[in-house]
Amino acid sequence: MLEGPKVSQSELAKRFGVSQPQICRIIKNKERILSEWHRNGDPERKRKREGKDAALEAALLRWVEGAHAAELPVGRPLLQLRARHPARPEPEPSGGWLARLGARHGKKPPAEKGDAEQPTAEHWAGTVLPGLLRSYAPAEIFACGETAVPLPAGTPGNGESPGERLTLLLCANASGSEKLPLRALGDSPRPRCLRGVNLEQMPWSYRAGGPAGLSAPLFAEWLREFNEGMRRRGKSVLLLLAKHEAHPYLQLSNVRMVFIPPAAALAQPLDRGIAGDLKGHYRRRLLRWLPAERGAGQPSLLDVLHMLAQAWGDVHPGLIAGCFRAAGFTPDAGTEAADGDEGTAEGEDAGELAAVPPCPSEREVWRSLATLRRYLECQATSPDLFQAFYELEDAVHMVSAG
């Protein structure tokens, strides 16, 4: 209006029901006000107020968000009282006021929302877990966790130091019918041996985890990928995992996260034999590595990742289902795991290969397999191709061993 026909500030003040000095301040700060409005403005917002303590306001906002996530009642009197509490300028959502408020309403703070119903191991095993499992089929109940495996000393091409270890993130369902691809975490951000490899189509994935191995951001990344995979398939699943600082709770559309109480953490299926069986298969494959026949020295990190993927495939579905039952993680203790056909496939492949006249030498065979694997690493269009390659390699091992 001031940019149009001549009008006084007093007339504008009367028209809008404000004071003349307020009109003057708006005119004086026009550019700043418009800049801030374009940057983060709300068309319905009439005034912009900032608090005196930005850190306190940020902490209060986190506290309110946590209270809403925990479905706790938060009204204006409580907010005012909380904001005026000077002794704790950085309130933590999982403690203090929110914990007392949750106790008053029979709930726990949002930092423990994933296991909010599990105060003790006894209550968890006797009441909470059975109630959860009744809502899901065995194929929809997943457990995940980490384990570590050593790299062979002198492993080339990976940037790792001798004696380094890989952290593996394992996840499988209670029927044994589904094992998610391994997520390996090492120290090297860009291993030399992975250059040129089509990493999106490998039956495993690799990330730089640093000295601590799995971190909260890396686990959150894996969780979102897991949830997206379930969303695309139209499945809703239950994910059981141990409470850990590297396991952040996320509100996901298709994955319900439930934390196992610390007292019952060792009872989870991975600790009942799944991780140990994987390591046994991995050691067996390391021991049968034949440098002379393969024309190479120690296996590289890339070789180790393929061996781990093969070892993960060697873990039988029946063993996984048995470990879930032993941990009490199945709705029906009599549920049988989905039967695999790995053994028959290996035997058939071995029989067919054994019938082939032994024209090429074993070294030539291994070099051909290495060439084929490298071709798949660079050109594969699906991780399933590597399962066929692994079966072929196993069959060649069987023939080589007589």
Side-chain angles (χ1 to χ4, degrees):
M1 295 181 72
L2 284 171
E3 291 173 354
K6 180 67 177 176
V7 61
S8 68
Q9 295 182 12
S10 299
E11 292 177 1
L12 286 181
K14 291 179 181 179
R15 177 171 299 189
F16 288 99
V18 296
S19 64
Q20 186 272 332
Q22 186 173 352
I23 296 292
C24 182
R25 286 195 299 272
I26 292 175
I27 296 172
K28 182 179 180 180
N29 299 313
K30 171 185 174 182
E31 296 300 327
R32 179 179 61 81
I33 293 172
L34 287 176
S35 175
E36 292 183 358
W37 183 83
H38 284 299
R39 185 168 61 249
N40 58 5
D42 179 351
E44 302 300 325
R45 187 175 183 179
K46 293 182 173 57
R47 56 183 67 171
K48 179 177 183 292
R49 291 178 174 176
E50 294 182 353
K52 298 180 180 179
D53 191 334
L56 177 61
E57 290 198 348
L60 183 62
L61 177 60
R62 290 197 302 272
W63 182 83
V64 172
E65 291 173 345
H68 282 302
E71 301 176 358
L72 299 175
V74 178
R76 178 176 294 183
L78 180 62
L79 285 177
Q80 292 174 342
L81 189 60
R82 180 58 173 150
R84 292 169 183 167
H85 195 282
R88 299 181 63 182
E90 292 290 339
E92 293 295 332
S94 61
W97 281 54
L98 187 55
R100 292 194 292 273
L101 181 64
R104 186 180 306 166
H105 293 273
K107 295 184 178 182
K108 283 198 172 185
E112 301 176 16
K113 186 173 177 62
D115 58 345
E117 305 167 346
Q118 310 154 28
T120 64
E122 293 76 13
H123 181 55
W124 153 266
T127 305
V128 178
L129 183 60
L132 288 169
L133 298 180
R134 281 194 294 269
S135 304
Y136 296 88
E140 299 170 337
I141 301 169
F142 286 79
C144 75
E146 301 88 59
T147 189
V149 296
L151 286 172
T155 297
N158 59 349
E160 312 277 350
S161 303
E164 285 289 346
R165 303 168 70 85
L166 284 178
T167 299
L168 302 179
L169 179 58
L170 309 177
C171 185
N173 65 358
S175 68
S177 60
E178 187 170 355
K179 292 177 283 188
L180 270 64
L182 290 179
R183 173 66 54 92
L185 305 164
D187 286 345
S188 179
R190 294 184 179 180
R192 295 187 300 274
C193 62
L194 299 187
R195 294 174 185 172
V197 176
N198 188 3
L199 297 175
E200 296 298 322
Q201 300 301 335
M202 294 300 103
W204 43 261
S205 58
Y206 176 86
R207 297 289 188 275
L214 184 67
S215 63
L218 287 174
F219 188 69
E221 175 195 4
W222 178 86
L223 278 174
R224 293 188 181 97
E225 292 176 3
F226 180 39
N227 182 69
E228 178 61 21
M230 293 298 147
R231 187 193 65 80
R232 288 197 299 265
R233 294 162 56 184
K235 294 182 61 176
S236 294
V237 301
L238 175 69
L239 178 64
L240 301 165
L241 66 163
K243 185 71 174 177
H244 191 271
E245 60 182 5
H247 295 167
Y249 175 78
L250 300 183
Q251 190 74 39
L252 302 169
S253 60
N254 292 68
V255 177
R256 180 181 180 183
M257 295 176 63
V258 174
F259 292 110
I260 307 169
L266 293 178
Q268 62 175 312
L270 292 174
D271 296 326
R272 290 279 182 165
I274 296 176
D277 193 60
L278 165 70
K279 294 178 181 180
H281 290 299
Y282 169 61
R283 286 192 295 268
R284 174 173 59 84
R285 291 183 176 277
L286 274 178
L287 289 174
R288 77 181 190 186
W289 179 270
L290 305 175
E293 294 177 0
R294 294 175 182 261
Q298 288 289 77
S300 66
L301 175 63
L302 182 58
D303 296 321
V304 168
L305 290 171
H306 281 297
M307 280 190 273
L308 287 168
Q310 289 174 283
W312 187 224
D314 291 337
V315 179
H316 196 272
L319 181 137
I320 295 176
C323 291
F324 270 82
R325 284 196 299 270
F329 282 22
T330 53
D332 182 3
T335 300
E336 296 296 332
D339 292 329
D341 57 356
E342 298 173 3
T344 57
E346 285 187 356
E348 291 169 2
D349 289 347
E352 293 173 6
L353 291 173
V356 176
C359 297
S361 66
E362 289 189 356
R363 173 171 291 188
E364 291 173 326
V365 171
W366 289 118
R367 285 178 177 173
S368 298
L369 284 174
T371 302
L372 175 59
R373 195 188 82 179
R374 185 59 181 173
Y375 176 78
L376 292 177
E377 288 168 353
C378 299
Q379 303 294 334
T381 57
S382 170
D384 295 338
L385 293 174
F386 280 92
Q387 301 305 323
F389 175 81
Y390 294 155
E391 291 181 8
L392 173 62
E393 191 175 49
D394 284 341
V396 174
H397 266 296
M398 294 176 65
V399 175
S400 175

